[in-house]
Amino acid sequence: DFGSLRIGAMTTRAWSMADYPFGSDIGVGDEWASSGAGYGLLTRAARYTSRQFDVAEGDLVVEATYDFGVSGWRRNKPRFWELWLQYRRGDLGIDVMIQEGKNGGPVSFGHAPFSSLFYDSQFDDDLGGSSQGIAMIMARYKLDSKLELYGGLRGNRWSGAYAKFLQSAADNPEGFDIWNNPFNVDWSNDLGGGVYKGYSARSVDLVLGARYRINDKLAAYTGMVHLGKASTSNPSERGQSNTATFNTLGLSYDYGHGLRLNAVVGLVHYGRKGLAPTSMPG
């Protein structure tokens, strides 16, 4: 009657739903779920999931998640929230996810855990904050008893994170220089004192696919993920001008008892040689 409340460690919907079953069914689970500005793992979270509501002759579930991040931060307190809406009507399924993270590690890796701005809170007063978030919609539609179509769109946003030299090797007991976690930095312009500006960036990614059921056991599928160019004011090339397109073609055999076998071929095409696109891990 009232839905459910969960507290503790859990995966985000933006990772888990994109990876399985959506992306996995068309051979792009990792390419779609691992990329972008979202976070994948939560450690100090509270999640409320509503019961099913009857909306427009279909079923709607609404869910809200909040994560407190790692404790010990006073100035740059981490905070995270995610909203998930799932709508099912007949052969149509739609998932909408909106996610915003403040003062988590600035990353482009959808599996990344949300924790804190840096691994050591002793540098709290020396660091500036950062944020990032996504808005994503995924849909799947059964055209008939054999053919199912897939599509999704994701907008990514990063605030950028300044690079800052924090501690020299001489002052560090472990004997190495310490820098913060920067993102989309112009390394060509030292602002003084070992500080380099990090720029904001935005990008849009796309996924398409189809799955054809040959018989009760065997299915053929194809998928495509396109990681788009990023819009940023960074005068240095940090991958914002590059794109990546993944394509897959595969067969899936449902052996039963929870076992499914896949054979897949794929390719990736980059728009240019150089740094990977902004929303691509690494």
Side-chain angles (χ1 to χ4, degrees):
D1 291 337
F2 301 102
S4 63
L5 180 66
R6 294 172 174 82
I7 298 174
M10 58 195 75
T11 58
T12 65
R13 296 298 186 182
W15 173 29
S16 61
M17 299 297 295
D19 180 68
Y20 180 84
F22 185 91
S24 300
D25 280 350
I26 51 176
V28 292
D30 199 54
E31 291 80 358
W32 178 239
S34 293
S35 54
Y39 292 97
L41 298 170
L42 306 175
T43 56
R44 300 177 66 217
R47 169 175 289 168
Y48 170 73
T49 310
S50 75
R51 64 174 177 85
Q52 282 190 353
F53 297 103
D54 294 329
V55 176
E57 300 181 0
D59 296 323
L60 175 68
V61 174
V62 180
E63 180 181 272
T65 304
Y66 187 86
D67 190 293
F68 297 89
V70 174
S71 61
W73 293 81
R74 176 188 52 80
R75 183 167 175 262
N76 294 293
K77 285 185 177 180
R79 58 182 184 270
F80 167 96
W81 63 265
E82 181 182 60
L83 180 66
W84 172 52
L85 296 93
Q86 184 183 73
Y87 180 73
R88 297 287 184 264
R89 179 180 175 181
D91 295 325
L92 175 65
I94 298 175
D95 291 278
V96 176
M97 282 141 282
I98 302 171
Q99 189 184 108
E100 179 73 15
K102 175 73 174 176
N103 293 328
V107 291
S108 174
F109 179 48
H111 292 184
F114 180 79
S115 55
S116 59
L117 193 61
F118 195 56
Y119 72 88
D120 193 338
S121 61
Q122 71 166 307
F123 299 108
D124 191 357
D125 292 332
D126 300 317
L127 298 173
S130 71
S131 64
Q132 62 186 64
I134 63 168
M136 179 163 66
I137 183 170
M138 301 186 305
R140 51 196 302 171
Y141 179 68
K142 272 190 176 180
L143 195 63
D144 54 36
S145 61
K146 291 185 175 294
L147 182 61
E148 191 168 17
L149 304 178
Y150 298 70
L153 198 65
R154 178 180 62 216
N156 306 290
R157 181 200 65 80
W158 298 268
S159 70
Y162 278 55
K164 186 172 183 180
F165 182 73
L166 298 174
Q167 193 175 74
S168 67
D171 298 323
N172 178 16
E174 298 184 23
F176 55 83
D177 292 339
I178 296 179
W179 290 75
N180 70 322
N181 296 325
F183 192 87
N184 196 30
V185 170
D186 176 18
W187 294 101
S188 66
N189 184 22
D190 188 343
L191 301 179
V195 176
Y196 298 82
K197 184 175 180 179
Y199 288 82
S200 62
R202 294 177 182 270
S203 70
V204 176
D205 302 325
L206 170 73
V207 61
L208 294 171
R211 187 176 180 89
Y212 184 79
R213 189 174 167 188
I214 300 172
N215 55 44
D216 289 343
K217 294 286 188 180
L218 190 63
Y221 59 84
T222 182
M224 183 201 78
V225 170
H226 179 74
L227 306 181
K229 293 182 180 180
S231 173
T232 179
S233 299
N234 192 344
S236 297
E237 178 58 45
R238 300 301 303 162
Q240 64 266 28
S241 301
N242 206 354
T243 63
T245 303
F246 301 85
N247 295 96
T248 61
L249 187 64
L251 287 173
S252 174
Y253 182 76
D254 188 353
Y255 182 80
H257 306 289
L259 177 62
R260 192 170 76 180
L261 307 176
N262 287 276
V264 60
V265 294
L267 62 88
V268 56
H269 175 77
Y270 293 95
R272 55 179 288 171
K273 291 183 177 179
L275 295 174
T278 305
S279 64
M280 184 175 181

